[in-house]
Amino acid sequence: MKNAVELRQYGQGHAAWWVPADLAAGSVAYCGGVGLDATFDFALADEMGLEVHSFDPTPRALEYMERENRGRVRMHPWGLLDRDEVVRFHAPADPRHVNFFVENLHGTEEYFEAECLTISTVMERLGHERIDLLKIDIEGSWGKVIDRMLDDSILPGTLCVEFDSPAPLWRVRPIVRRLQKAGYSLVRRDKENCVFVHTR
């Protein structure tokens, strides 16, 4: 693990992430997965001056952002996936939890449907030619999104990924190897949260 990059932590509690301190104001950040804590997204906008776009189609996340955002970031009710399609999001086993899953990991019957898009399609819709930072905290769909992103030759300068729900080593290793082959270095790891920086 290399860490020649100066990192600073933004956000609070479980929503906090370490990112390069030299991200310039106006840089474009995509934050996939909001849940009920967008303190990281808000800090990127408020403290670093980034152009932040947050993505989460789950009803409680949208209600949370309606309440808390106050125009700081641009919220989009889309899921991130490896294809452009309306898909089912399945409920968690514990109804107190906010996160829903594209794969029915808990074998529940409740679901809602929402539009999901590839990173490439999102960039086209929003008029972006590059992404400076991409955060992926999307409940088990990280592998599909990263594979499609690399297939489309999209290389954000900083990539923050939560390998979760579940993330056995046999699933994580091929993705990490592919990221390294594409020019990424792992600069920080906090349990399931990994931060990669492209060496361009």
Side-chain angles (χ1 to χ4, degrees), residues 15-16 24 27 34 40 46 49 61-62 65 67 69 77-79 124-125 129 131 135 137 140 147-148 160 170 176:
S27 296
V34 172
F40 175 69
D46 295 341
L62 293 171
M65 289 297 275
R67 236 179 14 251
N69 185 17
W78 311 325
E124 183 178 345
R125 282 196 182 183
E129 295 183 357
I131 308 171
K135 182 208 78 174
D137 181 359
D147 271 335
R148 179 59 188 268
C160 303
W170 64 265
V176 172

Side-chain angles (χ1 to χ4, degrees), residues 60-76:
R60 290 179 64 193
L62 293 171
E63 291 170 5
Y64 164 82
M65 289 297 275
E66 183 75 23
R67 236 179 14 251
E68 302 292 336
N69 185 17
R70 299 190 295 277
R72 290 178 283 182
V73 307
R74 300 170 202 187
M75 180 67 186
H76 307 280

Side-chain angles (χ1 to χ4, degrees), residues 23-29 44-45 48-52 74 128 130 132:
L23 280 168
S27 296
V28 175
L44 293 181
M48 299 193 78
L50 304 193
E51 178 187 329
V52 181
R74 300 170 202 187
H128 294 135
R130 73 175 201 287
D132 300 293

